[in-house]
Amino acid sequence: MPVLECIELEKSYGRSEALRGVSLKAEGGRILGLLGPNGSGKTTLIKLACGLLQPSGGEIRICGLAPGVETKKIVSLLPDRLSLPGYMSPAALCAMYEDFFEDFDAGRAERLLDELGIDPAQRVRRMSRGTREKVQLILAMSRRARLYLLDEPISGVDPAARDYIISTIMTNYAPDAAVVLSTHLISEAERLLDDVVFLGAGRVVMSGGADELRERSGKSVDALFREVFKC
Amino acid sequence: MLSRLLKYEFRATSRIMLCVLGALLAIAAAASLGMRAIGYNRGLTIVGAMVLVLYFLAIMCVGAVTLILLVYRFYKSLLSDEGYLIFSLPVGVHSHICCKLICAAVWMLASFAAILLSIAIVASSIGITGVVLSDLQVMFERIAAAWSIGALDFASFALELLLLAELSAVGGCLTFYAAMSFGFSFSEHKALCSVLAYIAIGILTQLCIAALLGALGLLFSLQGPGFYISLGGILNVTRVKNLSHAVMLGGIVLQAAYCAVLYAITAYFLKRRLNLP
Amino acid sequence: MDWQIAPESPIYAQLAQKLRRGIASGLYGPGEKLPPVRELALEAGVNPNTMQRALSELEREGLVFPQRTAGRFVTEDAQLISRARETLAREETRRYFSAMEDLGCSAGEISRLAAEIAKEGHDAGA
């Protein structure tokens, strides 16, 4: 069973349609790239998978279940915004994650914080933006989830941090876990991807295995993207 | 899960609340000293009066801070960027709302108790407390003797009153929650929609109350004179007690229903119409 | 090993090629145990599945064989390795010749240049 499955998924806000007839699958042990220009519906799709939005039509399933309390136990979200409460420290946040998520690996989180030289006792609001993003990433990746949803994890981050984030994602690979990664920085991320979905104006414009697309088009995924989404 | 949420919610709010309540009691202590200072000499009288004014300001502050805090917590935790974290926790929407509500109810009760305590502290300085209490005691004893109302009746009435008061506070809280949940479901002008929703709920509530009272008045006006005569006849102590219980319970039920409606609105908009930034 | 992966063509194919070179050049000696997939993937900066696919191809060619729980090993078949080396060398030579022809060099020029450069390298080494 695919970890994440969308069947003719639709979402509209009033009159504007954010997603139309989106069907895709994310399998365990594979990294899926959700690629598209700004406003193409990537974040909407991710929010639907988290249960933060309700679909207007179609279905979305995580390990066969509709998004809800049960799926939140096996889904780890890294939002594209800073969502950590400012008055808490990384240590307090780890304790909170441990409290609420059975699959949280506190040891791994501590190790990663240590690796990056982040003071676990310092309150989040005193940290720089980059450090806050790293803490958020560490918390998300320290969960042994079935589905990782990473919304623009490398945008707005310096190149060294990007490399670190990409290698963290790769070393977190687990054979039964699927990673769905949305980004518009494709050239940086394409080596990471097993499968690719091009999302344009809420529709799936193209999809397939990354190497398959390279073979078929003779181009990199980045070049293919520029071609498909030429202004 | 709810208990865990409550743990974190209290942790987030207790620092400010305990500070504010502590400050109130400290100022009350100062004010009680200030009261004694009045009349001593000119300088101390001015200081004493200022401290007294400060005390009254402190009471208003406590009310304001409590209200602002519980509204702010709801917004920050559930409707702002933090919502991405909070709503990804494997916890139902009802747990989230109940957590905020319980925390708010506790702090409102605590503020109320602190204010009463501060009044007692200030009043103790004037030495009127003893006189007031003994006078009250005499009054109650006389009423009890005349109308054979026992301590039990007073106690149950007090409890009903307390329950009604707490439910009203919860209702006030829920009005904010419902208005915000509604307002923030829009993509733009979230704050404006919330304010408008709050006003609209207020107006609707007033209309409902007016309609209810109007219906009641109509009911009474339709009764013939015989009704009032019989009413006078049956008015004995037991019936009055029962009537007052009925009125209180009726009020509690209505207030609870009001809370339930607002809760349902809040839950609906948070579950189905959540629109995080 | 310097992986230098270009995103324009299938990555698994490039990885397979790099691994073949590694084996042909002796970087991964005959019978030697290869690092685990995850480690190789991290070194190359690619997805482990892609590295896995590259290794599967090498398995199909017989250059690499898996041993149940111990991991993957380079073949001990010296003939197979030298044949792979020969194939890679030919490819490299063809590429070289094609580049020289683009410059307009004749076959004679190519031989002369090859001898000179080889001598230079030999002198530098000595």
Side-chain angles (χ1 to χ4, degrees):
Chain A
M1 181 192 307
V3 174
L4 171 69
E5 187 171 6
C6 304
I7 304 166
E8 294 296 313
L9 189 62
E10 300 197 351
K11 176 66 186 173
S12 37
Y13 295 98
R15 234 163 289 154
S16 67
E17 289 180 313
L19 290 177
R20 295 183 273 183
V22 168
S23 299
L24 60 84
K25 288 191 201 163
E27 306 278 353
R30 297 177 74 81
I31 301 181
L32 171 73
L34 205 57
L35 312 176
N38 287 330
S40 52
K42 310 192 294 286
T43 301
T44 306
L45 185 70
I46 288 179
K47 279 159 102 165
L48 281 161
C50 288
L52 295 172
L53 285 178
Q54 304 294 320
S56 315
E59 278 182 34
I60 181 162
R61 297 258 173 272
I62 291 146
C63 296
L65 301 167
V69 175
E70 287 308 308
T71 63
K72 287 179 189 182
K73 290 180 185 168
I74 53 172
V75 171
S76 181
L77 168 69
L78 180 65
D80 64 347
R81 311 182 146 257
L82 292 172
S83 68
L84 302 177
Y87 63 92
M88 292 182 92
S89 65
L93 284 162
C94 283
M96 184 167 114
Y97 266 64
E98 222 173 344
D99 244 343
F100 284 100
F101 295 112
E102 270 177 39
D103 60 13
F104 185 69
D105 186 348
R108 180 177 158 85
E110 270 169 44
R111 219 181 348 108
L112 290 173
L113 285 168
D114 193 45
E115 248 174 49
L116 286 175
I118 296 175
D119 177 8
Q122 188 186 37
R123 285 184 208 278
V124 160
R125 63 165 155 251
R126 289 191 204 276
M127 293 177 177
S128 68
R129 189 201 157 88
T131 313
R132 267 191 261 188
E133 282 177 344
K134 288 185 189 139
V135 173
Q136 219 171 239
L137 173 79
I138 288 171
L139 288 169
M141 298 311 278
S142 298
R143 283 194 50 207
R144 297 268 152 266
R146 293 292 306 278
L147 175 64
Y148 295 92
L149 295 166
L150 313 175
D151 198 353
E152 302 276 1
I154 57 174
S155 323
V157 173
D158 65 79
R162 256 180 245 161
D163 285 338
Y164 178 79
I165 291 169
I166 289 175
S167 71
T168 307
I169 295 170
M170 274 203 287
T171 51
N172 214 52
Y173 161 85
D176 63 341
V179 176
V180 173
L181 188 157
S182 88
T183 184
H184 56 260
L185 289 178
I186 296 149
S187 55
E188 303 262 355
E190 67 167 290
R191 284 206 242 163
L192 190 53
L193 307 174
D194 283 302
D195 304 302
V196 161
V197 165
F198 282 0
L199 214 59
R203 284 191 199 279
V204 172
V205 172
M206 195 183 287
S207 65
D211 270 343
E212 271 68 55
L213 286 176
R214 289 187 188 103
E215 210 155 356
R216 268 211 314 253
S217 66
K219 300 189 172 75
S220 66
V221 175
D222 183 55
L224 192 58
F225 180 87
R226 284 167 208 252
E227 191 183 287
V228 167
F229 290 112
K230 199 159 37 191
C231 295
Chain B
M1 279 300 177
L2 181 58
S3 58
R4 272 174 246 184
L5 282 177
L6 281 169
K7 177 173 78 171
Y8 286 100
E9 192 60 30
F10 276 110
R11 238 186 249 174
T13 51
S14 56
R15 195 165 307 186
I16 287 190
M17 285 311 295
L18 290 175
C19 261
V20 162
L21 296 183
L24 175 70
L25 295 176
I27 293 176
S32 82
L33 288 173
M35 292 278 278
R36 283 182 229 265
I38 290 177
Y40 218 62
N41 66 43
R42 192 186 162 97
L44 279 175
T45 306
I46 292 173
V47 169
M50 285 198 326
V51 176
L52 205 59
V53 168
L54 192 68
Y55 167 68
F56 286 117
L57 284 174
I59 291 187
M60 289 195 279
C61 263
V62 164
V65 166
T66 308
L67 184 67
I68 293 172
L69 184 68
L70 54 94
V71 167
Y72 178 73
R73 281 299 304 160
F74 189 83
Y75 155 74
K76 191 91 203 310
S77 188
L78 300 177
L79 302 172
S80 74
D81 285 344
E82 245 182 73
Y84 281 101
L85 171 61
I86 299 298
F87 279 111
S88 69
L89 298 175
V91 155
V93 122
H94 294 288
S95 301
H96 286 305
I97 302 175
C98 288
C99 169
K100 297 286 184 290
L101 211 52
I102 290 173
C103 195
V106 166
W107 284 124
M108 285 192 286
L109 203 61
S111 298
F112 183 63
I115 290 175
L116 285 180
L117 187 62
S118 72
I119 291 175
I121 292 175
V122 171
S124 72
S125 68
I126 332 178
I128 59 164
T129 320
V131 176
V132 168
L133 279 178
S134 66
D135 276 350
L136 274 171
Q137 191 178 6
V138 169
M139 183 182 89
F140 279 126
E141 280 171 357
R142 288 203 182 147
I143 294 174
W147 289 349
S148 66
I149 302 173
L152 194 66
D153 297 314
F154 279 125
S156 67
F157 184 77
L159 265 149
E160 284 163 1
L161 199 62
L162 193 67
L163 186 58
L164 189 61
E166 188 68 7
L167 273 176
S168 304
V170 164
C173 213
L174 276 168
T175 314
F176 284 106
Y177 291 174
M180 283 196 283
S181 309
F182 171 80
F184 277 78
S185 70
F186 293 96
S187 301
E188 289 180 339
H189 309 301
K190 296 184 181 219
L192 182 66
C193 288
S194 304
V195 169
L196 290 175
Y198 184 77
I199 295 171
I201 292 174
I203 292 175
L204 267 160
T205 313
Q206 294 301 316
L207 284 173
C208 283
I209 293 177
L212 208 68
L213 288 175
L216 215 63
L218 194 68
L219 197 69
F220 274 114
S221 70
L222 287 176
Q223 306 294 326
F227 174 71
Y228 293 100
I229 295 171
S230 61
L231 203 64
I234 63 163
L235 262 168
N236 61 38
V237 176
T238 326
R239 291 259 163 82
V240 167
K241 275 195 235 179
N242 292 343
L243 191 65
S244 82
H245 275 297
V247 165
M248 289 304 282
L249 286 172
I252 288 171
V253 165
L254 279 173
Q255 187 63 36
Y258 179 66
C259 290
V261 168
L262 290 172
Y263 181 93
I265 293 174
T266 309
Y268 172 76
F269 278 99
L270 283 182
K271 189 168 176 143
R272 303 235 145 245
R273 294 263 178 270
L274 187 66
N275 195 0
L276 291 172
Chain C
M1 165 134 74
D2 178 16
W3 291 88
Q4 276 195 327
I5 305 296
E8 280 75 34
S9 61
I11 294 182
Y12 83 94
Q14 295 177 51
L15 294 172
Q17 188 75 332
K18 289 277 192 280
L19 286 165
R20 274 183 216 110
R21 291 186 111 103
I23 293 172
S25 66
L27 181 67
Y28 300 118
E32 194 180 304
K33 183 177 187 305
L34 285 172
V37 181
R38 213 183 274 226
E39 209 179 290
L40 283 169
L42 200 61
E43 203 187 291
V46 298
N47 187 310
N49 288 330
T50 319
M51 183 59 79
Q52 176 73 20
R53 193 170 168 191
L55 286 164
S56 299
E57 243 197 40
L58 260 59
E59 263 180 50
R60 256 196 309 263
E61 290 165 16
L63 280 169
V64 146
F65 68 94
Q67 229 180 45
R68 237 159 295 147
T69 49
R72 281 203 181 81
F73 292 80
V74 180
T75 184
E76 289 179 354
D77 186 344
Q79 255 199 345
L80 194 63
I81 294 179
S82 71
R83 255 204 306 248
R85 198 172 135 271
E86 169 88 13
T87 313
L88 284 168
R90 271 183 191 272
E91 270 173 36
E92 199 65 41
T93 313
R94 262 188 222 110
R95 212 173 301 145
Y96 164 71
F97 265 79
S98 162
M100 296 305 280
E101 275 168 30
D102 280 346
L103 279 172
C105 298
S106 64
E109 252 187 289
I110 292 172
S111 308
R112 179 179 57 80
L113 281 165
E116 274 181 37
I117 303 289
K119 187 168 180 300
E120 248 175 53
H122 183 79
D123 288 342

